[in-house]
Amino acid sequence: VPVQSLFASIYTEFEVYTPPNREMLFTYLKALLVHTLRLMSAHHPQPHQPSNGFHADYAVLRHLMTLINNNFRTVKRPSEYADLLHITTDALTKTARKYYGKTVTDLIHERVLEEARKDLALTDNSIKEIAASLGYDDPYYFSRLFKKVSGTSPDTYRNNLSWFSGSLHKKTV
């Protein structure tokens, strides 16, 4: 669905906002959010390919990002990714910092938070349930990590998505 038609539908539903129209408005807003999240996922950080052709660091980082995307729920430590890539943790850290300007831990946390934001926006799952689904046994640790990386707590993030009173999202830790 083109974004323009989503905005037009949202605008139409908002103009005649009544309780029966509310569900339709939420449906359009969720569709817009899903579309936006897909676009953001498509633009996940990629290292710049060197102009001199194939480069070993580039291949390692591409493989790293694939591993993180496939394993972020269960593999949390940079050393585990280094083992999967058959390189040292130090070499992996230096390469990530050189091309991304971030640590491997930062890249893992960004991927976890990307998924957490999606779950907070699109589900009614509690923070505890979301934390568990992302591989964190301690929802309070997860909440602190979320706040440290994103600057806001999971509850605040979810509540800021609720434009109308009586939000569908009421569950917390």
Side-chain angles (χ1 to χ4, degrees):
V1 176
V3 176
Q4 293 84 1
S5 69
L6 277 174
F7 279 115
S9 298
I10 290 169
Y11 183 77
T12 301
E13 293 297 323
F14 192 73
E15 279 187 323
V16 290
Y17 185 76
T18 61
N21 294 66
R22 178 183 178 149
E23 290 304 314
M24 196 61 171
L25 181 60
F26 278 130
T27 301
Y28 286 131
L29 289 171
K30 283 182 181 180
L32 180 62
L33 186 58
V34 167
H35 180 75
T36 303
L37 289 171
R38 285 181 181 163
L39 287 174
M40 288 173 57
S41 294
H43 296 302
H44 198 273
Q46 299 294 324
H48 297 291
Q49 187 169 11
S51 58
N52 61 353
F54 180 80
H55 192 275
D57 288 347
Y58 181 76
V60 166
L61 291 176
R62 296 280 295 167
H63 194 193
L64 171 65
M65 294 312 294
T66 299
L67 287 171
I68 289 173
N69 281 325
N70 293 335
N71 300 291
F72 68 92
R73 293 177 193 276
T74 56
V75 181
K76 304 287 190 218
R77 295 187 344 238
S79 61
E80 295 173 290
Y81 286 100
D83 290 344
L84 291 169
L85 292 165
H86 308 292
I87 63 174
T88 67
T89 303
D90 189 46
L92 181 59
T93 300
K94 285 180 183 176
T95 304
R97 201 179 290 272
K98 177 180 175 182
Y99 289 93
Y100 288 124
K102 300 175 184 179
T103 66
V104 176
T105 300
D106 292 339
L107 295 170
I108 297 165
H109 288 165
E110 285 177 2
R111 181 61 182 100
V112 168
L113 260 61
E114 178 182 328
E115 196 68 20
R117 286 182 185 113
K118 184 169 67 173
D119 288 348
L120 288 165
L122 300 176
T123 72
D124 286 332
N125 294 344
S126 68
I127 305 304
K128 183 177 181 178
E129 292 168 327
I130 292 171
S133 77
L134 295 172
Y136 293 93
D137 296 330
D138 182 353
Y140 298 103
Y141 172 80
F142 169 76
S143 291
R144 287 190 307 272
L145 174 67
F146 188 99
K147 185 170 184 174
K148 177 183 173 187
V149 176
S150 71
T152 186
S153 72
D155 283 327
T156 302
Y157 179 83
R158 177 175 272 168
N159 291 336
N160 286 341
L161 293 175
S162 303
W163 295 357
F164 305 103
S165 62
S167 167
L168 299 174
H169 307 291
K170 292 292 183 189
K171 292 183 182 178
T172 59
V173 174

